[in-house]
């Protein structure tokens, strides 16, 4: 990721919704070395912040709604959540939750793009988002997996104004050319029950070691460590509760 801080239109935060918060904290603390702190306020609903040193890097939360899947969710920074939500609707997306205030820290909404992928909008107030990117244990890339790439490209460029860097093998998203993520077309290799989704990638010091650590802690290696042509070494993992995420070799963005 060529971004090193939250900027309008770019990814600023990632949250895990899980059905076993205690087990999830234990798994990710072992895998990434996170220090987790749960907000004690009743209204916070068990919201748990993960840190590397003093920097917030991600959050873990209970499932707040019936039918909510166990999954990682990606938030994109916006200057005005209400205005951005309107753009989402006008471009063919669906606003599922909000916009609504979160204490004094910001205003957010949850939306679906026209291809079915969920994402979040974040208007910062007291909390801008992650305090660290691209370092081991921190968010370093976000990837959209979709069965309708042309529709997705039209939607996200309209809503966020992203730049698009396309090749024969991969499409990369950027802010004024500073790439922060990409898009993969879901083909027949993906079972039909796997939905369109956003996949966060976390930087690690050693992809092979991280995959082995995840497996030893009860997780699953969905894609074995692989060196991507013209890209980094990556793996795709699933935590013990079922949430999927990726890891890549820090400093090896290709």
């Amino acid at each position: 990721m060529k971004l090193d801080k939250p900027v309008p239109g770019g990814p600023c935060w990632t949250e895990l919704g899980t059905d076993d918060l205690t087990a999830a904290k234990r798994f990710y603390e072992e895998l990434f070395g996170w220090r987790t702190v749960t907000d004690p306020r009743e209204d916070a609903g068990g919201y748990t912040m993960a840190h590397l040193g003093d920097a917030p890097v991600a959050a873990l939360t209970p499932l707040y709604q019936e039918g909510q899947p166990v999954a990682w969710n990606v938030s994109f920074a916006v200057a005005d959540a209400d205005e951005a939500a309107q753009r989402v609707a006008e471009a063919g997306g669906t606003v599922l939750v909000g916009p609504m205030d979160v204490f004094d820290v910001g205003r957010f909404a949850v939306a679906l793009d026209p291809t079915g992928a969920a994402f979040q909008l974040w208007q910062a107030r007291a909390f801008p988002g992650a305090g660290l990117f691209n370092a081991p244990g921190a968010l370093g890339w976000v990837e959209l997996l979709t069965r309708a790439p042309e529709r997705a490209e039209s939607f996200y460029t309209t809503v966020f104004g992203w730049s698009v860097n396309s090749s024969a093998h991969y499409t990369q998203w950027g802010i004024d050319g500073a790439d922060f993520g990409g898009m993969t077309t879901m083909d027949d290799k993906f079972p039909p029950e796997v939905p369109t989704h956003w996949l966060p990638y976390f930087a690690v010091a050693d992809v092979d070691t991280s995959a082995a650590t995840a497996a030893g802690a009860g997780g699953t290696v969905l894609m074995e460590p692989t060196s991507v042509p013209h890209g980094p070494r990556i793996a795709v993992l699933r935590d013990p509760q079922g949430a999927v995420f990726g890891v890549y070799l820090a400093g090896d963005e290709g």
Side-chain angles (χ1 to χ4, degrees):
M1 184 188 295
K2 295 179 181 178
L3 303 177
D4 59 5
K5 61 183 178 182
V7 300
C12 62
W13 192 238
T14 187
E15 295 175 346
L16 171 68
T18 183
D19 58 6
D20 191 335
L21 186 59
T22 299
K25 289 194 292 184
R26 185 167 57 246
F27 175 81
Y28 289 100
E29 286 169 355
E30 180 176 351
L31 180 60
F32 293 137
W34 287 348
R35 173 178 60 86
T36 59
V37 179
T38 300
D39 191 322
R41 293 174 291 186
E42 184 176 351
D43 289 350
Y47 197 89
T48 298
M49 197 86 78
H51 300 78
L52 287 170
D54 293 330
V57 292
L60 300 88
T61 77
L63 300 180
Y64 292 132
Q65 297 184 352
E66 185 175 350
Q68 180 184 347
V70 172
W72 279 98
N73 302 291
V74 175
S75 296
F76 297 97
V78 294
D80 186 315
D82 295 79
E83 182 182 53
Q86 183 176 345
R87 290 200 303 272
V88 165
E90 290 173 349
T94 304
V95 179
L96 299 177
V97 178
M100 59 188 295
D101 291 332
V102 182
F103 302 114
D104 64 342
V105 296
R107 188 165 174 80
F108 91 111
V110 181
L112 287 178
D113 73 21
T115 79
F119 64 97
Q120 299 179 166
L121 305 169
W122 181 251
Q123 176 187 340
R125 289 174 179 158
F127 181 70
L132 184 67
F133 291 95
N134 307 317
L139 184 67
W141 193 253
V142 295
E143 185 174 78
L144 175 67
L145 290 88
T146 180
R147 295 180 175 85
E150 295 85 1
R151 185 69 185 92
E153 181 176 325
S154 174
F155 173 80
Y156 287 105
T157 54
T158 297
V159 172
F160 294 116
W162 291 348
S163 54
V164 179
N165 180 9
S166 296
S167 70
H169 306 289
Y170 197 59
T171 295
Q172 295 191 172
W173 309 113
I175 300 293
D176 296 328
D179 292 341
F180 59 78
M183 178 170 60
T184 292
T185 300
M186 300 174 73
D187 55 21
D188 293 341
K189 291 181 291 186
F190 290 86
E193 64 269 18
V194 176
T196 297
H197 61 282
W198 278 97
L199 182 71
Y201 277 80
F202 298 93
V204 294
D206 188 304
V207 172
D208 297 73
T209 297
S210 294
T213 298
T220 304
V221 180
L222 298 180
M223 186 181 79
E224 294 288 342
T226 303
S227 295
V228 177
H230 312 294
R233 189 163 180 78
I234 66 173
V236 178
L237 312 173
R238 183 171 58 209
D239 72 21
Q241 287 69 54
V244 179
F245 62 100
V247 294
Y248 76 96
L249 182 61
D252 186 24
E253 285 80 12

